Amino acid sequence: MSFSPLLQQLINALRCLPGVGPKSAQRMALHLLERERDNARQLAGALLQAVEQIGECQQCRTLSETPVCDICSDSERDAGLVCVLESPVDLLAIEQSGGFQGVYFVLKGHLSPIDGIGPEDLGIPQLLDRIEQGGIRELILATNPTVEGEATAHYITGQIAREDIRITRIAHGVPVGGELEFVDGGTLAHALAGRRVINRDVS
Amino acid sequence: MSFSPLLQQLINALRCLPGVGPKSAQRMALHLLERERDNARQLAGALLQAVEQIGECQQCRTLSETPVCDICSDSERDAGLVCVLESPVDLLAIEQSGGFQGVYFVLKGHLSPIDGIGPEDLGIPQLLDRIEQGGIRELILATNPTVEGEATAHYITGQIAREDIRITRIAHGVPVGGELEFVDGGTLAHALAGRRVINRDVS
Ligand SMILES: [Zn+2]
Ligand SMILES: [Zn+2]
């Protein structure tokens, strides 16, 4: 059976959502048109507004609709403790674990020479500048515990000249080969508490 | 953690999709903004176009962007064989089973006095008119094999005065208490082939 062109267009468009295969896209499209037309209209508006108005924070590169995000501009957060992440989803996972009071730097990816993704694409020069300016006591490298995440953490460690910064890596609790965003809050809180120094002990 | 207002608005809006809980809505929103902005824009456009231009077929009440749907206007389909369904999703499931050459009538629901859903809401008077006009040889009542679906089929059967129509109910293969849309194509084809007469044998 072929759907009408507009219905097929909607089904195809829904496939851009993560975890949505052809069958669920069909069900979603029919469900929206049968019972949720007002909500479908609202979803369209929310998508457009978000795409047009949400950019990235100048300081930490996470998604933000203001030049500096709420976390970076919160004076109660510890700006001397910076957690480096691969993506805003990981930031969300750590925030939801509730145990972290520092700030973040979001790489939006990991080093991947094969795909042409180098340090500049991840904002690493920007992170190093911020470190050079001083004021950072500890850098927690919370890239994913995958080969690429480890390589990225290793690269960043090698670029840091200052000796007065403690560089740590979250360690316990996150399953090897796993992705931070799928780890529960308790495990993440544990992983953060059990972080270890990977350059030297400046205590 | 609280998201920025626009991000929270997008997350809330995504919850209207069937099967999308708070966690998946968050992941979808971040994924779209991080990696799929063009596709998010296309999805917004597809939603608006679909909501504004897709109505229902005058003849069978299924979703259609033309006054009469492709199936109803296809002269190769057998207009004397009408399959009555609860929803366009069921129509899709039967079309995909590949074994049906007749046409449809979509109730968009089932009788539910508690929710105030009566025969008029399901287009039953319209279906009865069509039957009275003649030309229908067989009416397959393929409402879901649930209490409400059975009651709806029973009600329709009781309203049909003509004696020259075979009224059948799909029977074999569809699990009792189940929903048509979740049944595989082979089972559906089998259920259609094994349908039985529920009024009388006019053969
Ligand atoms: Zn920020
Ligand atoms: Zn039709």
Side-chain angles (χ1 to χ4, degrees):
Chain A
M1 177 203 195
S2 59
F3 293 102
S4 69
L6 289 182
L7 188 51
Q8 190 59 55
Q9 172 181 281
L10 176 57
I11 292 167
N12 294 345
L14 284 163
R15 297 287 308 279
C16 73
L17 298 170
V20 176
K23 276 248 157 188
S24 4
Q26 283 172 11
R27 271 229 303 287
M28 284 177 171
L30 295 174
H31 176 88
L32 288 173
L33 290 168
E34 269 185 87
R35 271 170 292 202
E36 307 260 12
R37 290 188 177 229
D38 284 348
N39 287 333
R41 237 181 284 254
Q42 271 177 29
L43 175 54
L47 282 164
L48 288 176
Q49 269 200 297
V51 163
E52 270 149 35
Q53 295 175 42
I54 297 179
E56 67 179 42
C57 170
Q58 289 166 1
Q59 281 182 38
C60 74
R61 291 172 41 107
T62 198
L63 294 167
S64 175
E65 63 209 61
T66 47
V68 176
C69 77
D70 285 354
I71 294 174
C72 289
S73 50
D74 180 350
S75 60
E76 309 229 316
R77 309 277 306 211
D78 181 357
L81 179 62
V82 178
C83 182
V84 179
L85 297 166
E86 290 190 26
S87 100
V89 184
D90 298 336
L91 186 157
L92 170 66
I94 290 186
E95 283 296 291
Q96 285 177 340
S97 79
F100 186 67
Q101 283 304 313
V103 296
Y104 299 95
F105 189 86
V106 182
L107 301 168
K108 303 202 172 180
H110 45 242
L111 292 174
S112 179
I114 284 178
D115 305 308
I117 299 172
E120 293 73 23
D121 303 299
L122 305 182
I124 292 177
Q126 188 180 337
L127 172 64
L128 296 173
D129 278 356
R130 190 161 143 195
I131 290 167
E132 277 311 305
Q133 286 160 28
I136 296 178
R137 219 167 54 249
E138 177 173 347
L139 195 69
I140 305 175
L141 298 173
T143 50
N144 285 321
T146 54
V147 174
E148 298 85 358
E150 294 290 353
T152 306
H154 187 255
Y155 174 83
I156 294 171
T157 307
Q159 297 296 306
I160 297 172
R162 297 183 77 113
E163 303 244 324
D164 59 347
I165 290 177
R166 196 176 155 102
I167 304 176
T168 56
R169 179 102 178 88
I170 51 166
H172 305 297
V174 180
V176 173
E179 312 246 339
L180 285 194
E181 68 173 284
F182 300 112
V183 175
D184 64 286
T187 306
L188 270 174
H190 185 82
L192 280 165
R195 65 190 185 265
R196 61 195 167 76
V197 175
I198 55 174
N199 57 344
R200 70 205 74 91
D201 195 21
V202 291
S203 73
Chain B
M1 175 202 198
S2 59
F3 293 101
S4 69
L6 289 182
L7 189 50
Q8 190 59 55
Q9 171 181 281
L10 177 57
I11 292 167
N12 294 345
L14 285 163
R15 296 287 307 280
C16 73
L17 298 171
V20 176
K23 276 248 155 187
S24 2
Q26 283 171 12
R27 270 229 303 287
M28 284 177 170
L30 294 173
H31 176 88
L32 288 173
L33 289 168
E34 270 185 87
R35 272 170 291 203
E36 307 260 12
R37 290 189 177 229
D38 285 347
N39 287 334
R41 237 180 284 254
Q42 272 176 26
L43 174 55
L47 282 164
L48 288 176
Q49 269 200 296
V51 163
E52 271 147 35
Q53 295 175 42
I54 297 179
E56 66 179 42
C57 171
Q58 289 165 1
Q59 280 181 37
C60 73
R61 291 171 41 107
T62 199
L63 295 167
S64 175
E65 61 210 61
T66 47
V68 176
C69 78
D70 284 356
I71 294 174
C72 289
S73 50
D74 181 349
S75 60
E76 309 229 317
R77 309 277 307 211
D78 179 357
L81 179 61
V82 178
C83 182
V84 178
L85 298 166
E86 291 191 25
S87 101
V89 184
D90 298 336
L91 186 157
L92 169 67
I94 291 187
E95 282 297 291
Q96 285 176 339
S97 78
F100 186 67
Q101 283 304 312
V103 296
Y104 300 94
F105 189 87
V106 182
L107 301 169
K108 303 202 173 181
H110 46 240
L111 290 175
S112 179
I114 284 179
D115 305 308
I117 299 173
E120 293 72 24
D121 303 299
L122 305 182
I124 293 178
Q126 189 181 336
L127 172 64
L128 296 174
D129 279 356
R130 191 160 143 196
I131 291 168
E132 276 310 304
Q133 286 160 28
I136 298 178
R137 217 167 54 249
E138 177 174 347
L139 194 69
I140 305 175
L141 297 174
T143 50
N144 285 320
T146 55
V147 174
E148 298 85 358
E150 294 290 354
T152 307
H154 186 256
Y155 174 84
I156 293 170
T157 307
Q159 298 296 307
I160 297 172
R162 297 183 76 113
E163 304 244 323
D164 59 347
I165 290 176
R166 198 175 154 104
I167 303 175
T168 57
R169 179 101 179 89
I170 52 166
H172 305 297
V174 180
V176 172
E179 312 246 340
L180 286 194
E181 68 172 283
F182 299 113
V183 174
D184 64 287
T187 305
L188 271 175
H190 186 81
L192 280 164
R195 65 189 185 269
R196 61 193 165 77
V197 174
I198 55 174
N199 56 345
R200 72 204 75 91
D201 196 21
V202 291
S203 73

